[in-house]
Amino acid sequence: MAGNNSPSTNGRNGNGQFTSGNKYGKGNPHSARVAALRTAVMDSISPATAKMVKSLVSQAMAGDLAAAKIILPYLIGQPVTSKELENEILAESEQEYVFEVVETVVTSNRK
């Protein structure tokens, strides 16, 4: 079936792609609007706006905490919550425990 591009009865070709005429294969109906909004945002960034952002970055680099709090989430993303951090630490410790158990089993089987 792989590599076969002939239409099948489920509206997909042999590669699993939607065939023409399939009502579900029309793509994302919102993509054109999102693209238009992105273009409008990019077009609205004037030299003055760019200067303002550069100034904010400069202030943050100079040690202005308020400026840093504004700009950093846009540059590096939002900080993780304590709950997300707890879950990550728990997952890592569980993984370490599993590795220890596997190592113990493997070592004991060698003896």
Side-chain angles (χ1 to χ4, degrees):
M1 184 170 204
N4 180 7
N5 288 328
S6 63
S8 66
T9 58
N10 65 359
R12 294 177 182 261
N13 66 17
N15 293 327
Q17 298 169 323
F18 289 120
T19 56
S20 60
N22 185 309
K23 67 179 181 177
Y24 299 109
K26 295 181 181 178
N28 184 345
H30 304 291
S31 62
R33 184 167 182 224
V34 169
L37 287 171
R38 285 182 178 163
T39 300
V41 168
M42 294 306 291
D43 289 345
S44 70
I45 296 177
S46 66
T49 305
K51 185 176 179 181
M52 179 183 65
V53 172
K54 287 179 182 178
S55 173
L56 190 60
V57 170
S58 295
Q59 291 172 22
M61 294 296 288
D64 185 337
L65 185 58
K69 284 182 177 181
I70 293 170
I71 201 72
L72 278 175
Y74 293 98
L75 296 176
I76 62 173
Q78 294 290 329
V80 296
T81 64
S82 61
K83 186 64 178 173
E84 292 170 329
L85 189 55
E86 285 176 22
N87 290 341
E88 187 176 323
I89 291 170
L90 181 60
E92 287 175 3
S93 64
E94 288 175 351
Q95 185 177 18
E96 288 173 10
Y97 175 73
V98 169
F99 287 147
E100 288 174 14
V101 169
V102 169
E103 184 178 343
T104 303
V105 170
V106 169
T107 305
S108 66
N109 286 340
R110 289 182 184 164
K111 293 179 182 179

